[in-house]
Amino acid sequence: ASPPASKSGAGCGNVNPIGITGTGVIDPVLRTLFVSVVIGTGGASSIIKTHELHALSIDDGSERAGFPVDLSKATFAGTPFAPVPQNQRGALLSLGGTVYVPFAGHYGDCGDYHGWVVGVPFANPAALGAWATAARAGGIWAPGGLASDGTNIFAATGNTFSAMGWQGGEAILRFQPGPVFSALNADYFVPHDWVALDTGDVDIGGSSPVLIDVQGATPSQLVVALGKNGKV
């Protein structure tokens, strides 16, 4: 049976207790395990208070200097990170000394959540970088989380609730380190029927993007994405 929705504090949800739901990542160079943790208000009626990124030595389990980091301090284009309606489901990514944490919402799409990617530089954890969908929702739901070609970061986003045109949902997005999204045509793909996908809650972000190199093909470097409508 689903746990009480009130436990998230957002008004919906089906995970209780929440704790760590997104797969952590080990950076072998830094010899560090990074995990995103939900912090509650405490007690039997504990609800979400914030989300923290922890950095743990894989040699002795100790917390690295400057961690944990309160991810709710992230902002993007005037949008503050609201910790209660956000839920961290996708796997984390460590690239070039920065850890990237993707966010979606809770089961039921309650509250003013957005699709977020928060970047935390290991050398200066307080210098958070972030990107968020302009519209409400557009979460990065897939358990596989983010992908990388060794230079850039790729994410798949879900449906939004916007009557203002495309605002970052139903897309495959390529970010430069930071994360930074250029909004150039070369850095995102939106299906021609994205409005229908949006309306029907048929996310293209139901699974994570997979990067492949098909020898002999033109172009050979491709991003494979599988949507809820069964199309690749």
Side-chain angles (χ1 to χ4, degrees):
S2 297
S6 61
K7 286 296 184 180
S8 72
C12 69
N14 62 352
V15 180
N16 177 42
I18 296 179
I20 300 172
T21 52
T23 301
V25 63
I26 292 175
D27 189 307
V29 175
L30 300 175
R31 299 195 62 76
T32 300
L33 165 66
F34 297 94
V35 291
S36 178
V37 182
V38 169
I39 304 300
T41 56
S45 60
S46 178
I47 60 175
I48 293 175
K49 178 182 179 182
T50 193
H51 299 259
E52 288 184 346
L53 179 67
H54 288 256
L56 309 174
S57 165
I58 61 173
D59 297 309
D60 61 17
S62 62
E63 187 93 54
R64 297 299 194 187
F67 291 86
V69 173
D70 185 352
L71 299 178
S72 69
K73 294 182 178 179
T75 61
F76 175 74
T79 300
F81 184 99
V84 175
Q86 301 292 154
N87 200 10
Q88 205 286 298
R89 296 169 175 260
L92 280 59
L93 172 72
S94 183
L95 179 68
T98 297
V99 180
Y100 297 93
V101 187
F103 282 89
H106 299 276
Y107 173 81
D109 288 320
C110 56
D112 188 21
Y113 78 94
H114 293 253
W116 280 86
V117 179
V118 181
V120 182
F122 183 76
N124 186 11
L128 298 180
W131 172 88
T133 55
R136 173 179 169 245
I140 301 169
W141 296 94
L146 304 169
S148 176
D149 59 3
T151 301
N152 298 314
I153 304 101
F154 294 77
T157 57
N159 66 297
T160 60
F161 301 95
S162 172
M164 304 297 292
W166 183 76
Q167 295 192 55
E170 301 291 4
I172 307 300
L173 307 172
R174 175 168 58 188
F175 299 90
Q176 282 71 50
V180 174
F181 177 57
S182 72
L184 297 175
N185 288 343
D187 284 333
Y188 70 98
F189 165 78
V190 181
H192 68 89
D193 58 347
W194 73 266
V195 174
L197 299 180
D198 223 32
T199 303
D201 192 14
V202 191
D203 299 25
I204 194 175
S207 63
S208 302
V210 178
L211 309 186
I212 62 173
D213 194 337
V214 183
Q215 294 184 4
T218 304
S220 63
Q221 296 179 327
L222 304 172
V223 182
V224 178
L226 175 64
K228 281 185 182 179
N229 61 353
K231 293 184 178 180
V232 178

